[in-house]
Amino acid sequence: MGFYPRALRPERTLRRQPAGNTYTQAVKVDLFRKYLRIVEEKFFPEDKSKETKQGETSEEEAARKIQAAFRGHQTRKSIMKSAKPEPEPTRAELEAEFRADDKDVVNAATKIQASFRGHQARKQTQAEKEKEMKEQQDKEDIEKIDLTDPDLNKAATKIQASFRGHKVRKDVN
């Protein structure tokens, strides 16, 4: 019994039972209960004074919570299956709801369009700047390469040989 931490050792009464499957299960259950008690004492010290719902044991309460979570999952899943997206309104419906001569609607639409166009322009400008910076960095990196380096020549030769071998194998097949 030396391989168990002191707080998780099985009860002495369980050690006297005959060896077998039921003993092993009893030890595991006992260890689980002790571990659960230690965790509860460490992380939930105020829960000692609270009683569970109508005298439930901690295992019954855990089972109830797991079942409630699973039922919620099933309900959300069934709602998602049954939820049908609303169809897009037709042009006639939109024209009936929003009149073209309503100044507030026209001003709101103009403001939304201007905001979106500004967003698109900023996004495009940022992408162009990033592209230019990347191209500049690539040019600088290429200029920094020492073409007289013997390792570079060996690497280029190795790449060329590998490609030529690939090409020959491809032509044979």
Side-chain angles (χ1 to χ4, degrees):
M1 303 307 309
F3 59 91
Y4 292 111
R6 173 169 273 146
L8 297 179
R9 286 196 182 135
E11 298 292 334
R12 291 189 187 273
T13 57
L14 291 176
R15 284 190 219 149
R16 293 187 193 128
Q17 293 179 358
N21 196 20
T22 56
Y23 173 73
T24 313
Q25 289 175 346
V27 170
K28 288 179 181 177
V29 168
D30 187 48
L31 286 173
F32 174 75
R33 286 183 179 151
K34 281 189 172 191
Y35 178 73
L36 184 64
R37 190 175 348 115
I38 290 169
V39 170
E40 286 175 346
E41 288 172 0
K42 185 174 182 178
F43 294 106
F44 307 105
E46 70 280 351
D47 286 352
K48 280 185 179 178
S49 61
K50 295 180 184 177
E51 281 207 18
T52 58
K53 242 184 193 177
Q54 300 169 354
E56 284 182 338
T57 64
S58 60
E59 288 118 2
E60 291 169 342
E61 184 181 3
R64 186 175 46 80
K65 287 181 180 180
I66 291 170
Q67 290 168 354
F70 183 71
R71 286 186 192 117
H73 165 73
Q74 279 184 320
T75 304
R76 287 186 297 277
K77 190 176 176 182
S78 67
I79 289 172
M80 291 301 290
K81 281 185 178 179
S82 65
K84 295 178 183 173
E86 293 183 17
E88 290 288 322
T90 63
R91 184 176 182 96
E93 291 173 344
L94 288 174
E95 287 175 355
E97 189 174 348
F98 303 109
R99 294 190 340 256
D101 60 345
D102 188 2
K103 289 184 179 182
D104 291 337
V105 172
V106 172
N107 288 339
T110 304
K111 194 165 218 76
I112 291 169
Q113 290 169 352
S115 298
F116 182 73
R117 288 181 183 135
H119 165 72
Q120 277 185 317
R122 287 187 296 276
K123 189 175 174 181
Q124 183 179 2
T125 306
Q126 180 68 25
E128 289 172 0
K129 283 182 183 178
E130 288 176 1
K131 184 178 178 183
E132 288 175 8
M133 288 177 58
K134 187 175 187 276
E135 288 174 358
Q136 182 66 25
Q137 185 65 37
D138 290 345
K139 285 181 184 177
E140 290 174 4
D141 290 344
I142 290 172
E143 290 172 358
K144 290 180 183 177
I145 295 175
D146 182 18
L147 297 177
T148 60
D149 185 16
D151 290 336
L152 183 68
N153 288 331
K154 288 180 185 177
T157 305
K158 185 73 171 174
I159 292 170
Q160 291 168 354
S162 297
F163 179 74
R164 288 184 186 127
H166 165 73
K167 192 174 173 185
V168 167
R169 287 187 297 275
K170 186 178 176 185
D171 292 341
V172 169
N173 293 334

